[in-house]
Amino acid sequence: MSFREESDDSKDLKKPFLHTGSWYRMGSRQSSMMGSSQVIRESSISVVACVLIVALGPIQFGFTSGYSSPTQTAITAELGLTVSEYSLFGSLSNVGAMVGAIASGQIAEYIGRKGSLMIAAIPNIIGWLAISFAKDSSFLYMGRLLEGFGVGIISYTVPVYIAEIAPQNLRGGLGSVNQLSVTIGIMLAYLLGLFVNWRVLAVLGILPCLILIPGLFFIPESPRWLAKMGMTEEFEASLQVLRGFDTDISIEVNEVKRSVASTGRRATVRFGDLKHRRYWFPLMVGIGLLILQQLSGVNGVLFYSSTIFNSAGITSSNVATFGLGLVQVIATGVATWLVDKTGRRILLIVSSTGMSVSLLVVAVSFFIKDSISNDSTLYSILSIIAVVGVVGMVIAFSLGMGPIPWLIMSEILPVNIKSLAGSTATLANWLFAWIVTLTANIMLNWSSGGTFTIYMVMCIVAVAFVSLYVPETKGRTLEEIQWSFR
């Protein structure tokens, strides 16, 4: 039985629960009936446009991450929170994200990539409203958990969607847009936090999701997901829209069909199967990269950057924090341009090495500062060196360890374990993000130099891990990458 025949025989069974944005299919049919496709060609949606729409999800992700830094002083003063209570508030988004991560793979599997993003937007909106109207810590915590749940789904679904729609020569750059959008969200939270109070800032956090929901109706579903679900006609229409109506997609269609046929649309993997390299190796690489991304301490720096700059002796800490966010956006933009030119591995190694050196500079600066007078010239010089080190760490992170782990995770996981393995890798990332954000503020109060030393050691481990285990995926189709593990 052919792929198309199988799809037709079980059409009703394979209809997804939520399938938005199928207008493009109707348009192509009408075009064929009318004998002209010029109108459709002119109005077809490119891959870049699709990426820009789903990138609203990571902007929401970044806004959530950046929110806790400029608002710490105001929230603790108005609601009477202790340092530990505010640290709990900052870390609860990661707890919610862990729950979202557990559900993300199955949600994206059964209702599609677009449907899962639509579901993720709803708790984000409710969460921001709960924070904006909070009168005590309970509403504050509830809102943060809801935000985190939505972010957990977004953090898995957006990289997977982008990887599945992008052509191989653009997949690295377009995949890096995910992290670029996160950094833009962080920067916006820092910037707006300079001008508005924390309640208004929470209301502004709703905007990305309010735009994302209608935007999802104007982009096609992932063609690889449609193929896996047996929806052949929709799969081919989606791929044609993404590649352009003048493009011959027959080779790519056949590659995707062969990949789906070799794994089986409903194939499952038992624990005993994980002994095979084609399963355990990509899973190990994906989980390892996403854990090391968090153990580098970047969330501790970004969540509490104002506190770090205060400790370094910077008086305008919120302005410095915004500057840090701007630098991160620029550096991630450079990584987006470089990733398809230099490759994934070299950027990861350069990034981890740069972070190690920067963190060493910060740690040494804080250790020396603790033993000298606050009024000395050396103290002022060391404060500047510490800030330069923090900025250097963020630049190095943005060049590789920020965008590339999510990109590689979406590229290397085999299609028949992507939902389970992707959820597991995302869960591991958010678990360690929670540990870092929960402990960062407390550790910084204990010893700033000691905290940055621990983060430096983790970055050195990341250099070794990438050098030994991470494969290069540049210039290869998703199907070629998965076949390489067999």
Side-chain angles (χ1 to χ4, degrees):
M1 179 181 291
S2 70
F3 188 91
R4 182 179 296 276
E5 289 170 345
E6 182 186 7
S7 175
D8 293 340
D9 289 346
S10 54
K11 183 176 180 181
D12 293 336
L13 292 175
K14 297 176 182 178
K15 199 72 173 175
F17 176 71
L18 178 60
H19 184 40
T20 59
S22 57
W23 61 270
Y24 57 83
R25 206 177 134 215
M26 182 185 0
S28 62
R29 285 179 175 175
Q30 289 175 346
S31 172
S32 177
M33 292 170 60
M34 294 168 61
S36 172
S37 61
Q38 184 62 35
V39 174
I40 300 301
R41 286 195 193 100
E42 292 175 353
S43 62
S44 64
I45 298 178
S46 68
V47 172
V48 173
C50 294
V51 170
L52 291 178
I53 289 175
V54 298
L56 290 164
I59 288 176
Q60 173 72 80
F61 176 171
F63 204 90
T64 300
S65 299
Y67 179 82
S68 60
S69 182
T71 59
Q72 179 170 0
T73 302
I75 291 178
T76 52
E78 186 171 336
L79 300 183
L81 302 183
T82 65
V83 171
S84 296
E85 287 172 332
Y86 193 81
S87 296
L88 177 60
F89 166 71
S91 67
L92 279 177
S93 63
N94 300 308
V95 176
M98 284 188 275
V99 179
I102 293 170
S104 61
Q106 293 304 308
I107 293 174
E109 179 75 9
Y110 287 103
I111 67 175
R113 311 328 188 194
K114 295 199 306 171
S116 61
L117 287 176
M118 193 169 291
I119 286 176
I122 296 171
N124 268 291
I125 292 172
I126 297 172
W128 283 119
L129 289 174
I131 290 174
S132 65
F133 291 106
K135 299 296 182 184
D136 54 34
S137 60
S138 59
F139 258 66
L140 209 62
Y141 293 162
M142 181 185 72
R144 196 71 169 165
L145 281 169
L146 287 171
E147 285 175 27
F149 178 78
V151 164
I153 297 174
I154 288 169
S155 63
Y156 166 77
T157 307
V158 171
V160 168
Y161 177 81
I162 294 175
E164 290 179 344
I165 68 170
Q168 67 186 62
N169 61 317
L170 297 176
R171 194 175 62 242
L174 292 175
S176 298
V177 169
N178 175 63
Q179 183 67 19
L180 177 63
S181 300
V182 173
T183 62
I184 290 173
I186 293 171
M187 184 192 68
L188 287 174
Y190 290 166
L191 175 62
L192 295 172
L194 294 173
F195 304 104
V196 301
N197 68 41
W198 63 275
R199 295 186 187 275
V200 175
L201 189 62
V203 173
L204 293 175
I206 297 171
L207 294 179
C209 285
L210 286 181
I211 301 171
L212 174 64
I213 291 173
L216 290 171
F217 286 90
F218 293 94
I219 63 175
E221 180 57 271
S222 159
R224 284 176 171 82
W225 179 78
L226 291 169
K228 189 177 181 228
M229 296 300 290
M231 303 172 67
T232 310
E233 191 174 345
E234 289 87 346
F235 151 56
E236 293 181 5
S238 173
L239 191 60
Q240 191 72 72
V241 169
L242 291 166
R243 300 293 180 260
F245 282 86
D246 291 326
T247 303
D248 181 7
I249 61 169
S250 58
I251 294 176
E252 190 170 0
V253 165
N254 289 332
E255 284 181 354
V256 174
K257 285 182 178 181
R258 281 197 299 269
S259 177
V260 170
S262 68
T263 57
R265 189 175 65 89
R266 296 296 185 188
T268 57
V269 177
R270 295 169 295 185
F271 280 106
D273 294 329
L274 293 178
K275 65 184 179 182
H276 299 298
R277 187 177 186 275
R278 67 177 181 270
Y279 295 132
W280 69 258
F281 187 79
L283 182 59
M284 180 269 293
V285 170
I287 291 176
L289 278 177
L290 288 174
I291 288 176
L292 287 169
Q293 181 195 63
Q294 293 303 325
L295 289 179
S296 69
V298 69
N299 265 345
V301 171
L302 295 177
F303 273 49
Y304 305 111
S305 53
S306 292
T307 302
I308 293 169
F309 288 136
N310 274 327
S311 299
I314 303 299
T315 53
S316 301
S317 58
N318 282 340
V319 175
T321 296
F322 166 67
L324 184 68
L326 180 60
V327 166
Q328 189 181 18
V329 171
I330 295 171
T332 307
V334 172
T336 300
W337 175 68
L338 284 176
V339 69
D340 279 320
K341 299 180 182 298
T342 62
R344 283 56 154 165
R345 288 184 80 252
I346 187 65
L347 279 181
L348 284 172
I349 292 172
V350 169
S351 172
S352 303
T353 303
M355 291 176 72
S356 301
V357 173
S358 298
L359 287 167
L360 175 62
V361 170
V362 178
V364 171
S365 299
F366 275 111
F367 277 130
I368 298 175
K369 274 163 59 21
D370 290 341
S371 61
I372 62 176
S373 170
N374 293 6
D375 299 326
S376 67
T377 304
L378 180 58
Y379 186 92
S380 299
I381 294 172
L382 289 170
S383 296
I384 295 172
I385 292 174
V387 170
V388 170
V390 169
V391 173
M393 175 214 178
V394 171
I395 291 174
F397 174 82
S398 301
L399 288 175
M401 285 301 289
I404 296 179
W406 292 108
L407 172 62
I408 288 183
M409 183 273 291
S410 66
E411 290 178 323
I412 66 176
L413 295 178
V415 64
N416 57 326
I417 68 166
K418 182 169 280 189
S419 62
L420 178 59
S423 291
T424 303
T426 306
L427 172 62
N429 180 270
W430 284 109
L431 173 62
F432 282 87
W434 172 68
I435 293 171
V436 169
T437 52
L438 181 64
T439 60
N441 223 2
I442 300 168
M443 288 175 64
L444 287 168
N445 285 337
W446 158 67
S447 170
S448 296
T451 300
F452 286 106
T453 300
I454 293 171
Y455 294 157
M456 179 194 68
V457 172
M458 291 298 101
C459 289
I460 294 172
V461 173
V463 175
F465 181 84
V466 173
S467 302
L468 291 173
Y469 300 114
V470 177
E472 181 56 72
T473 58
K474 170 191 167 187
R476 303 162 75 186
T477 67
L478 297 182
E479 288 70 35
E480 287 172 344
I481 293 168
Q482 289 161 19
W483 277 104
S484 70
F485 295 124
R486 290 179 178 272

